[in-house]
Amino acid sequence: MTNSVVSERDVEVKIITPLFRDILGYQDSEMHWAVPVDMNLGREVRKKEADLLIKRQSEALIVVEAKKPTEAVFGATGQTDSYAFALQTPFSFITNGREFVLRAYYHGNKRVDLLSGPVGKLNKRSFSKLAKLIGADQIASTLQDSATESRTPDVEKIKDYRRFFKSLHSAIRDGDKLDPAAAFDELSKMLLMSAADEFLLAKNPKHKRLTSADVDSWAATSVEKAKRSVKVHFEEVVRAAFPLLSEETSEIELSPSTTSELLKKLEPFSVRSDDIDLKGRAFEEFLPSQLRGKGLGQYFTPRPIVDFMCELADISLNDTVLDFACGSGGFLIKAYEKMRGEVDILPPGTIKRLGATRESLIEDIKSSQIFGIDAEPRAARTARMNMLLWGDGRCVVRGNALAETDYSGTQYPVSDYSADEPESGCSLILANPPFGAREKEKEVLSEYVFGSQKKTRKSQKTEVLFVEKALRLLRPEGRLLIVLPTGLLSADSYSGLRSHILERARIRAIVNLPTHTFVQSGVPTVNTVVLYLQKHSEEVAKKFQDNGGVSDAAEFQEIVSKCPELDFEIFMADCEDVGFEPNGKITKKPGEKTDLEMIANDFLSESHDDLAELDIFDYAERLYGTKSLRRREQTVRGSVKDRKISFVKRASELADRMDPSYYIFIKKIAELSDQMEPLGQRVQSVSNRFLPDTDAELDAEYPLLSVSSDGKVTIREVVRGEDISTPQKLVEEGNIVYNPMRANIGSIGLIGEAVAGGLVSPDYHVIEVNDLDAEYLIGLLRTPFYKLYIDIITTGSIRDRLYPKDLQRILVPKSKRQQQTAIKQLQGKIDEEYVRSSEALVGHVRGLNEMVRTMLEK
């Protein structure tokens, strides 16, 4: 692309027109510009324009989309797809003057990226493949190619295979009395040995595979001989068949009798041939039930989340995919399944025109387009076995993905992108890295800006380093979809990371997940988001560099104001229903869409909800109603259907936060601001620290207090002064005390006469109230609206905390004494009903929420 191409109009005139007219051979009469298209966007139909439609007589052939040179081509096909479906064209062509993508459409809403690459020089040699597919004199032949019918998975066969895997697992558990995790390890080894024997037998009919009779014969001599012989066979065949897997595989540790039983069961079973996709599906479905146990849960990302992220990613046949914390391999399998599916439906003639065969395309995917890394040996083994059952297990290596080499000292197959090495890096990263772990290796930390490059650190959270690593690995316009703790997008302490992101990538989407999303992985509640980034092109990256880079949100806004073309749209959404309840029970019914599926549709179709229609009080009621008063669900959000919210923000509207809930709430509270004022100095932090010192204090007894989620201040225990080793906080009558990590679920209480003089944990905050009724304030803060408010303003990496300075910023109604009294009285009724567990409780909470609404609405 020449420097003279700087606008979308330039792309149309200087790239698209000569390409389609002079190189592909279309007549001017066949090129129709600015074609009107009716688009369904949410509830309304809007008239849009396709940049160019190639049409021969009455037949629509190709819809062409021109993008600005600063816009991405890859992974940004939603609107073009909509044009293609509306105009019923079999192909679309997208270019920004630098890169292009040719996309084909087949039955069943299937879409395949046939060709992609740099625009380069506009001559027939550079675009020979494109001409063979959609050139004016070739496209008729291409259109005659019939797509291969995609097979519908045999559900009953999948169930049979799943039961088979379960029977093997049960035989190990029952035979050798192993726990589920250990039994799963042994099952993986037995399947690997069976696959190795099968592979070697196919190469050499004289290969002797291990049989049940062999083990029984050895065991008749001695148990130790049987164990030793099985070990030797296992090591030899795995090393011969799968040398990359042998280094990380420990020996089989089953008794000869159990090994013999499994070999009998495996004798008629082929790991690597016949129904390979069905076996892969069955094994993947078998995994979740086994991976919920202690020791395995952390390696499992729920299938609905995997499907959602892969749908947003719009995985292409031409992608190079990496998961650098692959766990059991869910993302790798889904990526392979999507890419393999695209190959399967391609017409034979189209494949021939691409200069390939179906087999060579599949082999390329296996060997050079999908890669996984995990540090934990069990996770790496599980992912390898998982991938092996789908057809290939070479793509997974074991190591610390933040380092440059794996644990064997071998360079990773995917290295950091370098402009001098066009094949370096990758185009797509899908990941759900572990939270809370810390990188402590000096060598590794020294390689990262957020390690020790700017300031000396002894450790850093791995999720922070993974974001930095991903942006180094990605090629220009490469995509990252990653699950992160919400705090990385909201906490002040991670402001630098957010600036780092803004300088290097466009934010395509941010989606809040419900707190119970990872309950099936053994994590009951955690605040997480799916972050979708697209690395800047080299041209866009240069614009940021030329303007001095981004060190904070203000500098980012200044650059965007100078370069309006960088004012990208950011899709945001809040999700409640992921298809299962907080207890893990599946709730999705056949044909029913979850919030995740509806959000994915919004994103891909470039539509969204209207935030103006959102009733913030109803929203708060649905999320926070009486949940804090039901002890088993007191920290849980996200079990209600049809509650998703999607909207769009401009980059120029970003504050120093990226969490969607913040923007939902800020917009809605702005509508109420005339009726509100900050708490300000009416609430003051009290830090009356106390550590028994004198003999009298050491001999005295002290009540240690706590605040439950129903706001009750109770005596947790009574201790002698000599048993108090760290300073506590002394509270007085009239103080408000709250747990900073549970204020959003109502853990806020008033110190009464009965507990005055008691002690609370130094983690608690103690507040003194001036010119305001303390009972009224507590009643207000415990309403659904204010629980939502507290959730929004609190910060933290994984656990949110409400600090006194945050409390002072909270806006409260400009209420009259009469209204304050009514709030107090209704809160008193709620406290009474909570004790009696009355059905009237729900009505009282709703009434309290409505009272706040009344005070704030004009």
Side-chain angles (χ1 to χ4, degrees):
M1 186 192 82
T2 65
N3 292 331
S4 61
V5 179
V6 295
S7 67
E8 184 176 320
R9 180 62 178 162
D10 286 342
V11 172
E12 291 176 349
V13 173
K14 299 177 182 180
I15 302 295
I16 292 175
T17 299
L19 174 62
F20 277 83
R21 185 182 59 202
D22 304 334
I23 297 174
L24 299 181
Y26 288 97
Q27 302 296 315
D28 288 339
S29 60
E30 295 174 314
M31 299 170 64
H32 303 269
W33 295 91
V35 176
V37 184
D38 288 333
M39 303 286 289
N40 293 309
L41 298 176
R43 299 176 184 175
E44 58 181 312
V45 177
R46 292 185 189 172
K47 187 79 72 176
K48 291 205 166 189
E49 286 187 347
D51 294 326
L52 173 63
L53 177 65
I54 304 297
K55 191 174 180 180
R56 183 166 289 168
Q57 296 176 352
S58 61
E59 186 178 13
L61 301 176
I62 312 164
V63 63
V64 182
E65 176 74 1
K67 291 190 173 292
K68 299 173 186 175
T70 53
E71 290 185 301
V73 167
F74 301 106
T77 54
Q79 182 169 288
T80 311
D81 287 346
S82 299
Y83 290 160
F85 292 136
L87 296 168
Q88 296 187 320
T89 63
F91 300 102
S92 69
F93 182 88
I94 314 167
T95 183
N96 57 8
R98 295 178 289 100
E99 307 281 346
F100 77 89
V101 174
L102 173 66
R103 202 159 163 90
Y105 302 90
Y106 301 107
H107 56 79
N109 201 25
K110 301 290 186 182
R111 291 155 278 187
V112 180
D113 288 350
L114 294 180
L115 277 181
S116 63
V119 169
K121 294 182 178 179
L122 290 175
N123 56 49
K124 291 187 177 181
R125 182 177 179 181
S126 299
F127 289 93
S128 59
K129 279 190 177 181
L130 188 67
K132 286 180 182 178
L133 288 166
I134 62 166
D137 58 349
Q138 296 289 333
I139 194 167
S141 298
T142 304
L143 290 173
Q144 288 174 1
D145 293 339
S146 297
T148 305
E149 288 286 338
S150 55
R151 291 186 303 156
T152 302
D154 188 325
V155 176
E156 290 305 314
K157 273 194 173 184
I158 292 173
K159 286 181 180 177
D160 288 342
Y161 284 130
R162 189 173 68 233
R163 293 188 190 103
F164 175 67
F165 291 131
K166 187 174 181 181
S167 73
L168 296 176
H169 188 259
S170 297
I172 296 172
R173 292 186 65 181
D174 297 341
D176 284 11
K177 311 303 179 189
L178 299 179
D179 64 48
F184 180 81
D185 280 349
E186 298 308 309
L187 170 58
S188 296
K189 296 172 199 172
M190 290 296 293
L191 287 171
L192 182 60
M193 182 170 68
S194 180
D197 269 330
E198 188 179 326
F199 176 82
L200 295 173
L201 190 60
K203 291 179 65 176
N204 177 15
K206 294 182 179 181
H207 171 73
K208 177 69 171 69
R209 69 183 302 165
L210 186 65
T211 66
S212 175
D214 292 331
V215 178
D216 291 342
S217 175
W218 292 328
T221 303
S222 82
V223 170
E224 288 306 314
K225 179 179 179 181
K227 286 184 175 180
R228 185 169 58 253
S229 299
V230 169
K231 174 180 178 292
V232 169
H233 182 87
F234 175 66
E235 289 178 347
E236 287 179 349
V237 296
V238 172
R239 187 183 304 114
F242 312 120
L244 293 177
L245 308 187
S246 63
E247 295 178 4
E248 298 291 340
T249 304
S250 58
E251 62 188 64
I252 290 175
E253 296 177 352
L254 295 174
S255 64
S257 59
T258 299
T259 302
S260 176
E261 183 182 352
L262 259 70
L263 287 171
K264 277 183 184 176
K265 288 177 175 287
L266 285 166
E267 190 172 340
F269 179 75
S270 169
V271 175
R272 294 178 57 82
S273 62
D274 302 327
D275 298 332
I276 193 76
D277 56 335
L278 300 185
K279 290 169 191 168
R281 285 177 187 271
F283 191 71
E284 189 192 3
E285 289 179 14
F286 160 74
L287 281 176
S289 63
Q290 309 309 317
L291 292 179
R292 291 176 197 162
K294 185 178 180 182
L296 282 177
Q298 61 183 306
Y299 313 128
F300 168 59
T301 302
R303 181 62 184 262
I305 307 304
V306 172
D307 290 348
F308 171 69
M309 292 170 66
C310 290
E311 187 70 15
L312 257 59
D314 191 20
I315 297 171
S316 163
L317 175 62
N318 303 302
D319 270 320
T320 301
V321 183
L322 170 68
D323 180 353
F324 45 37
C326 69
S328 61
F331 288 117
L332 305 179
I333 290 163
K334 186 65 179 180
Y336 176 75
E337 184 182 4
K338 277 185 166 288
M339 296 164 81
R340 172 70 186 263
E342 291 190 357
V343 173
D344 287 344
I345 66 170
L346 282 177
T350 300
I351 293 176
K352 187 176 181 180
R353 288 180 179 85
L354 288 170
T357 64
R358 203 175 303 275
E359 292 72 23
S360 68
L361 289 174
I362 292 172
E363 182 57 31
D364 282 346
I365 293 170
K366 290 179 181 180
S367 62
S368 59
Q369 290 182 243
I370 296 183
F371 303 97
I373 305 169
D374 205 284
E376 212 286 330
R378 177 177 283 155
R381 282 199 302 271
T382 302
R384 285 173 183 150
M385 193 66 245
N386 219 345
M387 289 301 295
L388 189 64
L389 283 161
W390 278 89
D392 188 82
R394 293 170 289 175
C395 63
V396 180
V397 297
R398 183 173 168 244
N400 178 358
L402 296 171
E404 297 301 316
T405 60
D406 64 25
Y407 286 154
S408 71
T410 304
Q411 195 83 18
Y412 286 123
V414 179
S415 59
D416 291 357
Y417 171 76
S418 169
D420 297 329
E421 300 175 42
E423 296 303 311
S424 61
C426 58
S427 63
L428 175 62
I429 296 174
L430 298 158
N432 174 22
F435 302 163
R438 299 194 73 90
E439 178 59 57
K440 297 179 180 179
E441 289 290 329
K442 287 184 179 180
E443 279 189 32
V444 174
L445 290 171
S446 67
E447 295 297 319
Y448 291 88
V449 171
F450 294 99
S452 297
Q453 286 186 352
K454 284 191 173 180
K455 72 174 187 177
T456 302
R457 285 189 176 93
K458 292 184 177 180
S459 67
Q460 176 59 280
K461 289 186 176 180
T462 53
E463 57 262 37
V464 173
L465 300 181
F466 273 126
V467 173
E468 183 180 343
K469 179 66 173 178
L471 292 172
R472 284 165 30 181
L473 286 163
L474 288 173
R475 298 166 186 162
E477 295 193 14
R479 294 107 67 212
L480 166 68
L481 288 98
I482 187 170
V483 179
L484 292 173
T486 308
L488 292 191
L489 303 189
S490 62
D492 292 344
S493 52
Y494 297 105
S495 177
L497 177 65
R498 295 192 289 276
S499 297
H500 186 84
I501 289 171
L502 290 170
E503 182 176 331
R504 289 160 178 80
R506 172 189 173 182
I507 303 170
R508 294 288 308 280
I510 307 171
V511 179
N512 270 345
L513 297 176
T515 55
H516 73 280
T517 298
F518 296 97
V519 66
Q520 295 178 337
S521 302
V523 184
T525 59
V526 61
N527 294 319
T528 56
V529 295
V530 172
L531 176 65
Y532 180 1
L533 303 178
Q534 186 157 28
K535 189 172 179 176
H536 289 321
S537 66
E538 291 175 350
E539 286 81 2
V540 172
K542 189 173 186 302
K543 284 180 181 288
F544 280 99
Q545 292 164 7
D546 290 346
N547 281 279
V550 177
S551 61
D552 56 37
E555 285 189 354
F556 174 74
Q557 295 299 346
E558 186 178 345
I559 293 172
V560 171
S561 68
K562 292 178 183 176
C563 309
E565 67 274 19
L566 303 181
D567 194 12
F568 303 117
E569 283 191 345
I570 301 168
F571 178 88
M572 293 188 177
D574 189 69
C575 169
E576 281 295 302
D577 169 35
V578 292
F580 50 84
E581 292 180 344
N583 61 10
K585 179 183 176 183
I586 302 297
T587 57
K588 183 183 176 183
K589 297 176 182 177
E592 188 177 63
K593 284 191 174 182
T594 65
D595 284 357
L596 286 173
E597 291 167 304
M598 290 188 283
I599 288 169
N601 182 68
D602 286 353
F603 175 79
L604 294 171
S605 64
E606 299 187 17
S607 61
H608 54 83
D609 301 318
D610 185 356
L611 272 187
E613 296 180 2
L614 175 67
D615 184 320
I616 193 65
F617 295 96
D618 179 53
Y619 177 64
E621 173 70 30
R622 289 180 306 203
L623 296 183
Y624 299 90
T626 58
K627 286 185 177 180
S628 66
L629 303 175
R630 298 200 296 269
R631 292 185 184 277
R632 285 179 299 177
E633 296 183 13
Q634 62 188 15
T635 60
V636 174
R637 285 178 48 190
S639 57
V640 184
K641 295 181 180 295
D642 303 324
R643 299 301 188 224
K644 69 92 178 172
I645 298 168
S646 63
F647 58 101
V648 169
K649 301 296 290 184
R650 285 277 178 187
S652 57
E653 298 175 296
L654 281 183
D656 187 22
R657 289 181 66 159
M658 297 178 180
D659 46 323
S661 297
Y662 172 80
Y663 292 97
I664 293 174
F665 191 78
I666 290 302
K667 176 176 175 57
K668 302 310 293 186
I669 204 169
E671 299 170 4
L672 305 168
S673 59
D674 289 346
Q675 312 301 316
M676 307 182 83
E677 59 187 0
L679 276 173
Q681 297 305 308
R682 285 179 288 179
V683 291
Q684 295 282 343
S685 177
V686 176
S687 183
N688 193 357
R689 299 267 175 167
F690 175 74
L691 180 64
D693 183 29
T694 67
D695 289 341
E697 290 172 342
L698 293 168
D699 289 338
E701 292 185 334
Y702 300 90
L704 297 183
L705 311 177
S706 64
V707 184
S708 59
S709 60
D710 61 349
K712 296 292 187 298
V713 180
T714 57
I715 299 175
R716 188 174 76 245
E717 63 177 316
V718 177
V719 298
R720 292 177 66 85
E722 62 188 16
D723 294 325
I724 300 175
S725 57
T726 58
Q728 305 292 300
K729 289 183 178 178
L730 183 66
V731 295
E732 299 177 356
E733 185 176 359
N735 287 160
I736 292 176
V737 294
Y738 67 88
N739 183 333
M741 292 186 293
R742 294 166 64 84
N744 64 324
I745 61 164
S747 186
I748 304 172
L750 181 67
I751 299 297
E753 182 181 357
V755 292
L759 304 176
V760 295
S761 163
D763 292 331
Y764 274 45
H765 290 298
V766 183
I767 299 296
E768 187 176 70
V769 181
N770 304 307
D771 299 326
L772 194 66
D773 190 295
E775 290 181 73
Y776 158 70
L777 179 58
I778 289 174
L780 197 66
L781 295 178
R782 288 173 49 76
T783 63
F785 176 80
Y786 276 94
K787 287 176 183 174
L788 171 61
Y789 199 155
I790 291 169
D791 237 356
I792 297 302
I793 66 171
T794 51
T795 60
S797 178
I798 296 178
R799 300 293 300 275
D800 296 332
R801 289 172 171 81
L802 178 69
Y803 296 100
K805 62 180 175 62
D806 299 317
L807 197 57
Q808 290 175 339
R809 292 202 304 265
I810 283 182
L811 299 175
V812 294
K814 297 174 182 177
S815 56
K816 297 177 181 179
R817 179 67 63 180
Q818 183 180 0
Q819 293 171 317
Q820 294 183 18
T821 301
I823 291 270
K824 285 169 54 178
Q825 290 174 345
L826 194 47
Q827 183 62 55
K829 289 182 180 179
I830 288 173
D831 293 341
E832 292 171 10
E833 298 296 355
Y834 178 76
V835 174
R836 297 203 302 260
S837 298
S838 167
E839 293 181 3
L841 174 62
V842 175
H844 288 328
V845 172
R846 185 169 292 118
L848 193 58
N849 196 46
E850 288 300 311
M851 198 173 293
V852 176
R853 181 207 296 267
T854 302
M855 286 193 293
L856 291 175
E857 288 182 340
K858 294 180 180 179

